[in-house]
Amino acid sequence: MEGLDDKLILNVGGMRHETYISTVRAFPGTRLYKLTEPPPPGTAAAQGPPVREFFFDRNPELFGYVLGYYRTRQLHCPANVCRDVLEEELAYWGLAEAPLAPCCWLKLSGKETRAQDFLSWEACENAHMDERLLLNPIEGQGLRNAWKPWLWVLLDQPQSSLGAKCLSLISTLFAVCALVIFFQETEVQLDYFSANFTPMGHGVGVGGNHQQQQNNGLVYRRAPHLLYLELLCALWFGTELFARAISCPDKVRFLCSPLNLADIFCLFPVLVELVVGDKAEQQPRLSLTLGAIRSLYVLKLVRLLGFLEKSLAMRVLVHTLHSSWKEVCAFLLIWVAEILFFGLLFLYGELLGMSTPGQGEPHFGDIFTCLWWTVITLTTVGYGDVYPLSALGQLTAAVTATVGMCTGVLLVPVLLVRFQRYYAVALARQKLRPSGIL
């Protein structure tokens, strides 16, 4: 090439671009820069007239942005471009390391994020379908086991038929009945312990010692009709659990399910009371232990989610929580660090403040009480059972509460934004399917 002001014609994919030689010499080592280099001496190209037009069978639309990068030193891209296609074109022209302009980088990053969200949701749905296929009835089991798939679908898939819905509704009514019986029993337990056990030393700090004085008041007696009604509910639960166990295609996964384990433990309280008999009235702590186990009745209501099986928002919510486990773990680590730090700060702040005569005694007896105070202060609950007395402790409490409010809102935007993204992807995927059913 003779002069930098000479023009160069580039025909890319049938589209002609005209520019100056000085423009394409902006980035040495690139493909366009090599067009302006003089040919080696003694070759046919060196002896003939200079070549001013070149043809490339490449993407004409993207080349316009490549040439614009030579002119303005800013690399842009169209809104609907694929990232892989853009990277391939840039690598061909020798601009693989060229940085994208911030506006276009955000567009491509958003599209890439949406693509990742789509793939993540697709993998979640495929795993869900694989699990359902694994637990679905297996064909060709023979006449001897032909009833097992029918029974499993009837018990596990409430949306499968009208009979399954009715059976699930009956199970829910039994669960509600068991909870009502359990609530009635708590009244008897509260009356008994209120009359027979009086806590001594109430009003002392949390770290203080608690004593219990036993009075000769009521005798713990459970109403017999409550036991018989709960026994009826337990018989239904046991029958349903046995039917699910013998008809489940995958016994190992069935036994590892938390809900199924809860169903098994729910059978123990009423059976233990039947075996022990009147001796349970002489062992109030046994009744408390059985009452704690009866709290698992609440988990039976979780099976109501079977009616919401096709709820898109519910599946998106579960997938959001599952995909955000790293953020949740990081949040918990920050929370634990704050509890330890402010708990120790509160402990020594109060001790330093109490070293001054006339300040009184602290409201705690050990470090665990300080950590308890830190938890209720970071969560801005503030029960008031433990509170600072010194000026340094009050300053620590103010800082702790402020940090707790700021920390508590960190995880909410992350989950909200991710839920919105996954929900948009799930809606798009639902519209792409011909049947419109996930």
Side-chain angles (χ1 to χ4, degrees):
M1 298 297 173
E2 296 180 356
L4 297 179
D5 294 334
D6 293 341
K7 294 182 179 180
L8 190 67
I9 299 176
L10 302 172
N11 188 337
V12 180
M15 183 178 295
R16 293 166 59 89
H17 299 268
E18 191 172 352
T19 184
Y20 290 104
I21 295 177
S22 58
T23 301
V24 297
R25 292 180 65 87
F27 299 102
T30 60
R31 187 175 293 272
L32 293 182
Y33 180 88
K34 295 177 180 179
L35 299 179
T36 64
E37 294 179 346
T43 60
Q47 297 176 359
V51 180
R52 299 183 181 275
E53 183 172 356
F54 299 89
F55 174 78
F56 297 93
D57 190 14
R58 304 299 298 182
N59 191 317
E61 181 183 5
L62 292 181
F63 180 75
Y65 293 92
V66 171
L67 191 58
Y69 179 59
Y70 281 87
R71 293 167 177 165
T72 63
R73 307 299 192 275
Q74 291 186 358
L75 180 60
H76 294 271
C77 65
N80 58 347
V81 68
C82 175
R83 190 184 189 94
D84 295 336
V85 174
L86 178 62
E87 291 178 352
E88 181 182 355
E89 286 295 318
L90 293 178
Y92 176 81
W93 297 110
L95 299 173
E97 304 297 330
L100 272 175
C103 56
C104 296
W105 181 84
L106 291 175
K107 288 189 298 184
L108 278 184
S109 299
K111 292 177 61 177
E112 184 178 8
T113 302
R114 288 193 294 270
Q116 293 175 354
D117 293 342
F118 188 88
L119 294 176
S120 177
W121 176 252
E122 189 76 15
C124 175
E125 288 292 276
N126 292 337
H128 177 71
M129 292 300 298
D130 292 342
E131 180 179 357
R132 294 306 301 268
L133 290 175
L134 180 61
L135 295 180
N136 272 345
I138 302 176
E139 298 181 357
Q141 294 186 359
L143 297 177
R144 188 174 183 179
N145 297 323
W147 56 273
K148 289 185 178 180
W150 172 82
L151 182 59
W152 173 253
V153 172
L154 186 67
L155 295 172
D156 188 68
Q157 300 179 14
Q159 296 288 346
S160 60
S161 63
L162 180 60
K165 293 180 182 179
C166 295
L167 191 61
S168 180
L169 181 59
I170 294 175
S171 299
T172 303
L173 292 178
F174 271 102
V176 173
C177 181
L179 283 175
V180 173
I181 296 172
F182 174 51
F183 293 157
Q184 290 293 325
E185 184 183 359
T186 57
E187 296 182 3
V188 180
Q189 293 175 348
L190 288 175
D191 292 339
Y192 171 75
F193 281 94
S194 298
N196 289 274
F197 294 90
T198 303
M200 302 299 294
H202 184 70
V204 184
V206 173
N209 296 325
H210 286 273
Q211 299 177 356
Q212 290 183 340
Q213 178 181 358
Q214 185 172 1
N215 304 324
N216 294 324
L218 299 175
V219 178
Y220 176 72
R221 294 185 183 278
R222 186 184 182 188
H225 68 279
L226 295 180
L227 179 61
Y228 297 145
L229 288 177
E230 186 178 3
L231 177 60
L232 179 62
C233 296
L235 290 176
W236 173 266
F237 297 149
T239 304
E240 182 185 13
L241 181 64
F242 178 75
R244 289 169 55 85
I246 62 175
S247 62
C248 178
D250 191 345
K251 301 296 191 296
V252 176
R253 181 172 294 185
F254 178 83
L255 294 176
C256 294
S257 173
L259 292 179
N260 295 328
L261 293 177
D263 291 342
I264 295 175
F265 282 109
C266 284
L267 301 177
F268 286 120
V270 64
L271 296 179
V272 171
E273 289 192 358
L274 287 176
V275 173
V276 175
D278 296 339
K279 295 181 180 179
E281 299 178 356
Q282 304 173 3
Q283 300 178 1
R285 292 192 177 275
L286 176 62
S287 65
L288 292 180
T289 304
L290 297 179
I293 298 177
R294 284 187 174 96
S295 302
L296 297 176
Y297 285 147
V298 179
L299 296 181
K300 287 185 171 297
L301 298 179
V302 178
R303 297 196 181 275
L304 287 174
L305 296 178
F307 290 104
L308 304 177
E309 181 183 3
K310 293 186 179 181
S311 174
L312 186 63
M314 183 63 64
R315 295 205 304 274
V316 173
L317 178 60
V318 173
H319 181 63
T320 301
L321 296 177
H322 183 267
S323 62
S324 304
W325 66 271
K326 293 183 180 179
E327 290 79 3
V328 173
C329 292
F331 177 79
L332 292 178
L333 288 177
I334 295 175
W335 199 266
V336 171
E338 290 179 352
I339 291 174
L340 297 176
F341 175 74
F342 287 107
L344 294 172
L345 196 62
F346 175 72
L347 171 65
Y348 288 104
E350 284 291 278
L351 292 179
L352 290 175
M354 294 304 170
S355 61
T356 305
Q359 288 290 339
E361 297 182 357
H363 281 225
F364 53 87
D366 49 32
I367 182 62
F368 299 104
T369 307
C370 296
L371 297 179
W372 161 253
W373 171 88
T374 308
V375 172
I376 62 177
T377 305
L378 284 173
T379 55
T380 66
V381 176
Y383 290 117
D385 52 351
V386 182
Y387 53 88
L389 298 177
S390 64
L392 187 57
Q394 293 171 356
L395 178 62
T396 304
V399 175
T400 304
T402 304
V403 172
M405 289 188 296
C406 296
T407 307
V409 300
L410 290 179
L411 189 62
V412 176
V414 176
L415 297 178
L416 179 60
V417 172
R418 187 162 293 181
F419 177 83
Q420 291 176 342
R421 294 206 321 253
Y422 285 139
Y423 192 71
V425 170
L427 287 178
R429 182 179 181 272
Q430 189 178 38
K431 294 178 180 178
L432 287 177
R433 300 196 61 168
S435 60
I437 300 177
L438 288 178

